[in-house]
Amino acid sequence: MQWIEPKLLIADDDRDFRETLAEVFHRRGYATHLAADGQEALEICHARPQLHLVIFDVHMPRVTGLEALQHLRVHDCWSLPCILMSAQMDDRIVREAQALNPAGILAKPFTLRDLTATVEEALRRSYGWEI
């Protein structure tokens, strides 16, 4: 079986956090792109349509993760797997997120094992990949 290098976009306004996640996934063989907010994430999504998965922080400046996910669902791609994460997860956010068909919703803090398992499961469900 030919190895496909999964391409991830990690959007979080905490630079250290997103760079740490990028390093974690890079070590696992993923190509990563980074965005500091939802607007930058949308610009990257439009410039790189070959992305396989996006990880959005919910609370970011300019455009939130929920707003960015909603934009992707309405204007671009309903099927692109997206994972939402937040340190301030509440029932309203979960309900709004679930309406947008996310591949996962994670409350911070989470373990790297939880995140990588969520990403791998999303790629398996969306593309049939076993990573």
Side-chain angles (χ1 to χ4, degrees):
M1 180 169 117
Q2 181 181 356
W3 168 252
I4 304 282
E5 180 183 49
K7 295 171 185 66
L8 306 182
L9 170 59
I10 301 166
D12 195 299
D13 58 328
D14 181 330
R15 185 175 129 210
D16 292 338
F17 185 73
R18 73 176 175 266
E19 288 179 359
T20 297
L21 292 184
E23 181 59 30
V24 165
F25 284 105
H26 177 74
R27 281 191 240 138
R28 286 175 165 75
Y30 293 74
T32 57
H33 304 277
L34 304 177
D37 59 43
Q39 181 63 44
E40 186 178 355
L42 289 173
E43 291 166 6
I44 292 170
C45 286
H46 293 300
R48 293 181 177 85
Q50 75 279 10
L51 289 170
H52 297 113
L53 186 136
V54 180
I55 301 170
F56 287 115
D57 183 28
V58 171
H59 302 284
M60 295 185 288
R62 296 197 303 165
V63 175
T64 70
L66 277 172
E67 291 166 340
L69 177 54
Q70 183 177 27
H71 178 87
L72 287 178
R73 294 300 187 240
V74 170
H75 299 288
D76 298 307
C77 184
W78 179 259
S79 63
L80 178 65
C82 297
I83 295 169
L84 289 167
M85 58 186 178
S86 176
Q88 299 171 4
M89 194 67 69
D90 62 26
D91 290 340
R92 180 191 61 80
I93 291 171
V94 170
R95 280 192 311 277
E96 288 180 29
Q98 287 173 333
L100 298 170
N101 193 34
I105 301 171
L106 294 170
K108 292 177 182 177
F110 48 76
T111 67
L112 291 176
R113 181 178 297 201
D114 288 340
L115 178 60
T116 57
T118 302
V119 167
E120 289 171 4
E121 176 62 17
L123 293 173
R124 186 192 63 72
R125 279 192 326 247
S126 296
Y127 306 105
W129 298 346
E130 294 295 331
I131 297 181

